[in-house]
Amino acid sequence: MDEKVLTSQFEDLLASRGVTRRGFLQLCGTIAAATGLAHVTVPDVAHALEESVIGAAEGNLFPVIWIEGASCTGCTEAFAQIDQPDPATVVLEMISCNYNETLSFAAGHSMEEAKAQTIKQCAGKYVLVYEGALLEGWDGWALRVAEETGVNAFLEAAESAFGVVALGSCAVNGGWMGSKKTPAGAIGCQALMAKHGIETPVTNIPGCPANPEWLVAVLVDVVMMGILPELNIDNKPSLIFEQAVHENCQRRGHFENGEFVYKFGSEEEKKGFCLYAMGCRGPQTKANCGIVRYNHRRSWCIEAGSPCIGCCEANPLDASHNWVDVNAPFHERHRDLRIGNWVVQPRTIGLAAVALTAIGVIIHGFGMKASGRLEDIRFEKQREWDAKHPDSAIGDYTADRIIIHADGTEEVVPADVFEKMQDAEYEQSMKKIGAAAASAVATGSATAQDAVETAEETARTSIDDAEAKTAEDVENAIEEEIDETKGGQE
Amino acid sequence: MAHFAHYREAHPLPFIIFHYINLGAFLTLVISGIFIHFPYLPNVMGMARGAHITAGIVLIINLIIRIFLALFVDTATSPGTRQKEKEIKAWLPQLENRHQFIPWIKYYLFIKKDHPLTAKFNPLQKFAYMFLPFSFIFMAITGFAMWGPTMNWIVCETFTNLVGGLMNVRIIHYFMMFVNVIFLIIHLYMVITEGGIPLIKLMFLQREHGGYTYDTTTHSISGKDEKEYPKLLS
């Protein structure tokens, strides 16, 4: 009996705002489904909303304080730009918005008083919705309202709130004002509260602007059901910000097929191909935009033809991780890296590193060639350490050596004889290069003189350390050959 | 030609199979990764992604198997010898390598003329090869952190938050690809200049080749093998 009376009372309220019972239940379904509130059923949502509206009729609305920080008011606009009596507006009217700088009709002293009263009388029962960044720059002199700095106004309201909702990317971590290049010292709600030791739970709803339906979903949870939504590691409602935009994108099929827009105004764009090649941030931005969409689920960025620019990217505790610094320039594959005043794409650094390595290897290769190591090498007789520290030597270099000949017979040779054989073999190889370098000169024509010099240098380098006598021999041999070659050329 | 003999004991069959799989997966990853990053080859995105993720998983499984093989398979842990030990010894500091780090650097900078004596891997190589498994695991974590089905795994999510978001993960993954490509360039260069054709034949075809022999008990050159090894497999 009671229920019937209440229901009709509620329907009257809806009717007076031009909303049918059917439209209302649709909203409840949307809230439950779109936000994926697994623990909430449609009747639960409907019941909570009805209760709240009844509460409204009896003057027991859940009080909400909505403070504007350093904002463009875009998040408020996202609510306000509603062209017909809309279920979402009804929900918003179900809260008692005791303070809202943009939407309140009242102004001045009476409005500040309303805020002060709410904080005092409803301590622990009201929700603080904060829009825009908090500014710590200029010694906190920014955002002053009624002789109070923005930071203090926020802290005072946040301290005794039931919960704080940081609405929009600016409120989450400073947004684009958090960029290191601005003097504003912008910071998000959660970071500022942590700094001042305020432990009121924070729910972060990033976005630029934040989707109104996300706020509605959170309000249903926080305000009307009296519970906090399940939050992820960043204190964002995990069911809204769990999957990447990419996962639910309507152009995903074109992505998998490798059909991309490479240029705006092209045939590919007309066909609605994937915007990945235009720098779409969908694969790395977590939000359910593609499901909830904007403006009464009418369209959203990617449907409208714009690549995602990752406006929901926000680490609440790090202002430098704001979505603009992270994602700009939007049409490039990566963010820009800044090294001092040098702005560079990672691609440039990567390709330069590979090119330098390749050049280094080529130069080293010339060194290997010039030193004769490509032809032959000589092993050290003993390790450098062992030569200097015979007492703690690693190797034993005195044992007899065994030569296994081509026919399989073995020959045992004393160590010193074997070492001489090694040297002789090496010198033989070096002589061969000398001869090869000289014969290269013989076949050369215009640059014969240069080639002679190169050959000489090559030979000199390669025999640098060789024993003096041998070195002289080799050098003489080479010079003889070079002379001959010169003679032949002339 | 003064080089160490190339014996099969240095690279037993399981490691050669591992090396083939590694090579295939590595090249698949680099090439498909380039197609994913620069999507200018039409209609291959689905294939490239499939190949990339598959090759990544193959590479990691191969790596895990390789680490176990190192514990159980005997190989020659020094060059030019048929004396075998557990392969893991070649991963760790060996007596052969002691005090040899500086001489190797001097050798490659052309300050030292004579080729330093070495274990199967010289000290610089050991750093490079020890870096590689970590690099592969790192690539896998960054890769899975970007892939939808796995991005919410606790390891991936923690890593993403640690480095400050998916954009940074993406850039790190991209840079690490270049680091691995640089490894590949240097690896190829060293193979060609140090080992040459005989080493390549050993690694890919198991063909042996004569040269200086080494004894792991005296830690020095033990002689020379001048035998003609058959050119065919067998």
Side-chain angles (χ1 to χ4, degrees):
Chain A
M1 185 71 186
D2 269 4
E3 203 165 296
K4 240 182 192 170
V5 173
L6 291 176
T7 308
S8 74
Q9 189 188 348
F10 176 68
E11 276 171 0
D12 286 347
L13 272 168
L14 289 178
S16 70
R17 290 171 167 85
V19 177
T20 60
R21 176 82 190 161
R22 185 190 189 78
F24 170 71
L25 285 176
Q26 266 177 354
L27 163 76
C28 299
T30 314
I31 290 172
T35 59
L37 297 170
H39 55 288
V40 181
T41 57
V42 176
D44 283 339
V45 175
H47 186 68
L49 294 186
E50 282 170 4
E51 285 284 298
S52 181
V53 173
I54 307 307
E58 292 164 1
N60 284 331
L61 272 181
F62 231 105
V64 169
I65 297 176
W66 182 311
I67 302 181
E68 297 276 336
S71 81
C72 65
T73 331
C75 296
T76 307
E77 286 292 322
F79 289 105
Q81 291 294 328
I82 289 174
D83 55 359
Q84 56 182 317
D86 170 87
T89 44
V90 178
V91 173
L92 287 173
E93 285 175 19
M94 285 167 192
I95 54 172
S96 165
C97 199
N98 294 357
Y99 181 89
N100 183 325
E101 286 135 333
T102 311
L103 299 179
S104 294
F105 187 72
H109 177 73
S110 60
M111 199 174 147
E112 291 304 317
E113 185 134 320
K115 188 176 86 174
Q117 274 178 9
T118 308
I119 293 170
K120 205 172 162 192
Q121 290 167 10
C122 309
K125 285 180 194 147
Y126 65 92
V127 165
L128 169 65
V129 177
Y130 197 86
E131 178 190 352
L134 289 145
L135 305 184
E136 287 185 312
W138 304 294
D139 299 327
W141 284 97
L143 299 175
R144 275 188 307 154
V145 175
E147 299 299 314
E148 197 170 25
T149 64
V151 169
N152 284 342
F154 166 75
L155 290 174
E156 198 191 329
E159 195 159 18
S160 40
F162 171 77
V164 175
V165 177
L167 185 65
S169 289
C170 296
V172 175
N173 76 343
W176 61 265
M177 280 165 284
S179 171
K180 278 177 187 146
K181 283 175 284 185
T182 75
I187 189 173
C189 298
Q190 194 184 330
L192 191 77
M193 286 163 68
K195 251 186 188 178
H196 291 82
I198 296 172
E199 284 169 357
T200 312
V202 183
T203 304
N204 290 312
I205 308 178
C208 189
N211 194 327
E213 310 226 1
W214 294 339
L215 179 63
V216 171
V218 170
L219 286 181
V220 167
D221 258 16
V222 175
V223 181
M224 295 162 185
M225 317 276 300
I227 50 167
L228 284 164
E230 194 191 322
L231 301 177
N232 66 13
I233 197 164
D234 284 339
N235 276 357
K236 297 171 187 168
S238 48
L239 291 164
I240 299 177
F241 298 100
E242 188 182 30
Q243 295 178 13
V245 172
H246 197 50
E247 312 298 325
N248 298 306
C249 182
Q250 63 193 90
R251 300 193 187 210
R252 180 62 187 261
H254 291 301
F255 174 83
E256 294 295 344
N257 290 347
E259 296 164 338
F260 300 104
V261 178
Y262 298 105
K263 200 175 161 227
F264 288 123
S266 61
E267 274 303 307
E268 288 85 2
E269 195 197 0
K270 268 188 211 161
K271 288 179 186 159
F273 283 178
C274 173
L275 296 159
Y276 174 71
M278 297 304 294
C280 182
R281 301 289 187 249
Q284 65 210 48
T285 308
K286 290 179 180 177
N288 65 359
C289 302
I291 297 171
V292 176
R293 313 163 99 203
Y294 280 78
N295 299 334
H296 307 216
R297 295 164 290 286
R298 192 170 288 150
S299 181
W300 61 299
C301 310
I302 287 171
E303 182 165 354
S306 162
C308 171
I309 57 175
C311 70
C312 290
E313 183 75 47
N315 177 352
L317 297 176
D318 183 4
S320 68
H321 184 92
N322 61 82
W323 68 274
V324 179
D325 271 357
V326 165
N327 289 311
F330 301 127
H331 290 171
E332 286 281 0
R333 166 75 40 242
H334 287 141
R335 70 186 288 184
D336 277 338
L337 299 179
R338 295 175 190 85
I339 302 164
N341 284 330
W342 187 38
V343 179
V344 63
Q345 276 278 302
R347 177 179 56 233
T348 314
I349 297 177
L351 292 175
V354 169
L356 279 177
T357 310
I359 292 168
V361 160
I362 289 166
I363 292 172
H364 197 269
F366 277 115
M368 293 290 271
K369 177 91 184 142
S371 63
R373 285 183 196 172
L374 294 184
E375 183 61 32
D376 203 356
I377 52 168
R378 187 173 61 186
F379 285 103
E380 56 187 1
K381 298 289 179 300
Q382 51 180 313
R383 290 172 176 79
E384 271 188 20
W385 169 270
D386 294 359
K388 286 176 199 157
H389 307 85
D391 302 339
S392 57
I394 293 157
D396 171 15
Y397 307 98
T398 55
D400 285 347
R401 311 293 162 89
I402 300 165
I403 298 174
I404 308 166
H405 289 297
D407 54 9
T409 54
E410 291 187 5
E411 184 187 348
V412 180
V413 182
D416 54 334
V417 176
F418 187 82
E419 281 173 7
K420 277 189 186 125
M421 285 165 68
Q422 276 180 284
D423 285 344
E425 198 183 331
Y426 179 70
E427 278 153 23
Q428 194 70 32
S429 300
M430 288 302 106
K431 262 188 196 167
K432 222 164 74 189
I433 315 180
S439 68
V441 174
T443 51
S445 53
T447 56
Q449 189 57 40
D450 290 355
V452 169
E453 278 167 23
T454 318
E456 274 180 326
E457 204 179 292
T458 310
R460 269 180 217 283
T461 322
S462 59
I463 53 181
D464 219 0
D465 285 358
E467 284 171 35
K469 192 161 172 281
T470 331
E472 259 177 48
D473 285 348
V474 175
E475 206 163 345
N476 288 341
I478 291 165
E479 273 169 11
E480 269 172 35
E481 280 197 52
I482 288 169
D483 285 344
E484 274 175 35
T485 321
K486 271 183 187 168
Q489 291 250 326
E490 278 157 14
Chain B
M1 197 47 191
H3 284 289
F4 278 116
H6 292 288
Y7 293 148
R8 258 173 227 172
E9 281 75 3
H11 302 292
L13 193 59
F15 294 172
I16 287 176
I17 294 168
F18 157 83
H19 189 253
Y20 269 115
I21 295 173
N22 225 19
L23 175 67
F26 191 97
L27 291 181
T28 309
L29 280 163
V30 171
I31 293 165
S32 59
I34 288 170
F35 287 148
I36 292 168
H37 184 76
F38 300 105
Y40 296 107
L41 196 66
N43 310 117
V44 299
M45 181 56 88
M47 276 183 272
R49 273 166 59 92
H52 197 76
I53 293 158
T54 311
I57 293 167
V58 167
L59 192 79
I60 291 303
I61 293 173
N62 202 31
L63 172 66
I64 293 167
I65 293 172
R66 180 69 174 80
I67 291 168
F68 278 104
L69 284 180
L71 298 171
F72 299 115
V73 175
D74 288 330
T75 67
T77 56
S78 294
T81 182
R82 293 192 192 274
Q83 297 156 318
K84 294 204 281 188
E85 287 176 289
K86 289 279 173 280
E87 213 261 344
I88 192 74
K89 295 217 166 137
W91 293 37
L92 305 170
Q94 283 169 277
L95 199 58
E96 267 73 19
N97 293 128
R98 193 179 289 171
H99 307 303
Q100 287 292 74
F101 184 74
I102 304 287
W104 269 103
I105 290 180
K106 277 159 69 183
Y107 176 71
Y108 284 129
L109 293 177
F110 302 104
I111 298 167
K112 179 179 164 62
K113 183 172 172 60
D114 288 345
H115 191 282
L117 293 175
T118 178
K120 179 178 176 181
F121 304 129
N122 74 46
L124 300 173
Q125 245 175 319
K126 277 193 175 166
F127 280 114
Y129 290 164
M130 279 314 277
F131 160 79
L132 217 55
F134 291 105
S135 158
F136 285 175
I137 290 164
F138 193 69
M139 284 302 264
I141 293 172
T142 52
F144 285 128
M146 286 187 286
W147 187 40
T150 51
M151 59 167 43
N152 290 326
W153 283 4
I154 189 73
V155 179
C156 299
E157 205 168 29
T158 310
F159 181 83
T160 306
N161 285 305
L162 194 72
V163 300
L166 282 171
M167 175 59 94
N168 289 354
V169 173
R170 191 178 241 198
I171 292 173
I172 291 168
H173 193 77
Y174 184 70
F175 274 149
M176 286 304 290
M177 186 274 285
F178 283 110
V179 171
N180 283 313
V181 167
I182 286 170
F183 167 83
L184 184 69
I185 292 172
I186 296 173
H187 180 62
L188 281 177
Y189 173 73
M190 297 313 297
V191 164
I192 291 164
T193 56
E194 283 286 327
I197 303 289
L199 178 59
I200 293 169
K201 279 185 178 168
L202 177 70
M203 195 70 227
F204 287 100
L205 304 170
Q206 277 211 306
R207 286 185 193 168
E208 296 194 327
H209 195 278
Y212 285 109
T213 54
Y214 188 88
D215 193 320
T216 52
T217 51
T218 59
H219 305 292
S220 73
I221 291 177
S222 64
K224 202 176 177 194
D225 180 354
E226 292 177 343
K227 266 195 283 191
E228 286 289 330
Y229 282 90
K231 299 251 169 186
L232 288 170
L233 284 163
S234 78

